[in-house]
Amino acid sequence: MCAVYDNRAARRNNSSSSSVFIIAAAEGSERNRRKEKERICGHRPSMATQTTASCTGSTLLQPISEIINLPVDQVNFVACQLFALLMAVWFRIYLHPSKTSPFIRHVVATLLGFYLALFCFGWYSLHFLVQSGLSYSVMVFAGLEHMHKYCFIVTLGYLLLCQITRVYVFDYGMYSADFTGPMMVITQKITSLAFEIHDGLTKREGQLTPSQKYLAISRMPSLLEYLSYNCNFMGILAGPTCSYNDYMAFIEGTCYQPRHQENANGKENGKYKQSEPSPKNDVIAKLCTCAISLAIYLSLCQLLPVEHSIDDDFVSSTPFHLQVIYLYLAMLALRPKYYFVWTLADAINNAAGFGFNGYNKDGSPRWDLISNLRILDIEFATSFKMFLDNWNIQTALWLKRVCYERCHINPMAATFLLSALWHGVYPGYYLTFLTGIAMTMAARAVRHNIRPYFLVSDSYKRIYHIITWAWTQVAISYTVAPFVLLAVGPSLKFYRSWYYCLHLLCLLVVLALPVKSRRRQAKEQEDGTQKDSLQDNQTDHNNSTDNNCNKKDKAT
């Protein structure tokens, strides 16, 4: 389970839909003030002018912002990511582990990260240091037994405090880069690190899953290692999240050794084994994906705004089936924006030499260790779970590792709630994740009860895949609409225009097709296995007893 759409790029309205890098949300009252200003002045101010006063970062690129008519904070973000890409290539070549020490690599990665943060967010980037400092203090001074819990509360609480004050206390006036976006990634890293330290220092191996054994940390990181992990230049602006052990292996130059059993394949020690594969081909391919995604988004974003789906004239004059198609197309036009941002972030890490994940069967290297999405699996997903598993992958892994695997009371609901809290304080987020719980339960029930009937032949399987693909795309679009609309009023207006049909359908499916939870199924299966084992032992004992009796009879 994971967030369906990352809020760092979801907060926006029609007036800025030509940009793919908006990370902040617009207040409804500000939109009204801007419209009133346009009515009075008789003209619309440029997007670059709108954010000049509110940009908290550098204004060095203001002339470029005015030329291309994009807000300067968004221009800063793009420029910093392109600069990070160049620095990643330099970092890999000139600060290679064979040429310099891990200490130098940590220092350079951290200083470059702080510079990019200051350029984009100005003094608001100090929140990154405050959040990291508070959490590190908890790790050092709190007892190991409960350190991970205290660290989780402090880190997530500080993030929520910043999100509340940014949205409901301070009026940014116009669009501005959202400094809480990087804080969300730092929150994931800090909490993951705390749980991994707790696993490594307080638990025995028998108490850990194979994944937890690999991620467990056996010593407290130094302050430099901790800051480098949280604020390195490769992931300070857009992530993605990675495990501490993987990051340290990258810094120390051991990341090309055979990976842990979970990701290893048979060719690692065969003729395809290489000492250090080049990421060049994968970086070029991902940059091409970025260019295509950007072109698609800029071509479609203004033609298919999601807000049009709640327009009164559109709702009253458009047949319902066309409203469904329009919503799907609007969400389809929105996704390339995320493809661009996340794929570019992945390319930056790969260019620095981070992200190697073993070899494919043909011997080609895999650079998807910290990839955040799989585009084809998203667009052709045939289940709600398949869509979520391939969207914002690193966030899904974080939610699984810190919540789903460790929560003993309704882990699915707890995971969705944590995802909503992590995203922010807009009401639309909570409507989305509450709907997501219902959708997930209904999808499980359908898969458990109906899917077996379509596995009898290939033609039935194809029919099932087509039906489930269409259902998944509609369900995702319906679920995510409040996430994009943000406010309660527009979100409920959208659901009313659809007569809450999918909510009611999910309720009927769950009631009519009950399904046991996965943990209960696993427990029953384990109990059944133990019962069978006991029966087998009893049978063997009885057979042994019978044989002994027969021998005695023969002897008599």
Side-chain angles (χ1 to χ4, degrees), residues 56 92 100 161 305 502:
T56 58
R92 180 174 183 270
T100 188
L161 179 64
L502 295 192

Side-chain angles (χ1 to χ4, degrees), residues 114 126-139 155 158 183 186 190 223 226-227 230-231:
F114 284 147
L126 292 177
H127 286 292
F128 308 162
L129 286 177
V130 174
Q131 184 187 35
S132 299
L134 287 174
S135 302
Y136 191 73
S137 300
V138 172
M139 290 182 188
T155 307
Y158 191 85
M183 288 183 67
I186 294 175
I190 293 173
L223 182 59
Y226 175 77
L227 292 177
N230 288 336
C231 303

Side-chain angles (χ1 to χ4, degrees), residues 5 35 60 112 122 138 153 202 210 225 236 246 268 295 328 340 365 415 425 428-429 435 463 477 498:
Y5 284 100
K35 290 178 181 179
L60 179 65
L112 284 174
V138 172
I153 294 172
T202 66
E225 293 169 341
I236 185 67
D246 287 334
E268 295 249 338
Y328 164 69
F340 174 87
T415 303
V425 293
Y429 300 159
T435 304
I463 294 173
S477 302
W498 282 53

Side-chain angles (χ1 to χ4, degrees), residues 207-227:
Q207 298 175 290
L208 304 175
T209 65
S211 175
Q212 290 172 348
K213 289 179 184 178
Y214 170 75
L215 297 172
I217 300 171
S218 58
R219 68 172 180 86
M220 183 68 67
S222 68
L223 182 59
L224 175 61
E225 293 169 341
Y226 175 77
L227 292 177

Side-chain angles (χ1 to χ4, degrees), residues 144-164:
L144 288 175
E145 188 64 29
H146 301 289
M147 172 267 295
H148 59 301
K149 299 177 183 177
Y150 298 150
C151 191
F152 181 86
I153 294 172
V154 170
T155 307
L156 187 62
Y158 191 85
L159 173 65
L160 284 171
L161 179 64
C162 290
Q163 290 172 331
I164 291 171

Side-chain angles (χ1 to χ4, degrees), residues 294-306:
L294 178 60
I296 294 174
Y297 176 75
L298 293 178
S299 301
L300 299 177
C301 63
Q302 291 181 322
L303 298 176
L304 299 166
V306 177

Side-chain angles (χ1 to χ4, degrees), residues 443-464:
R444 285 183 181 179
V446 170
R447 182 177 180 83
H448 181 78
N449 292 277
I450 296 179
R451 182 173 178 268
Y453 294 103
F454 287 87
L455 300 180
V456 294
S457 66
D458 292 338
S459 59
Y460 277 40
K461 289 180 182 178
R462 285 191 290 268
I463 294 173
Y464 179 80

Side-chain angles (χ1 to χ4, degrees), residues 504-515:
L504 297 175
L505 181 60
C506 288
L507 179 62
L508 292 175
V509 168
V510 171
L511 293 177
L513 303 174
V515 60

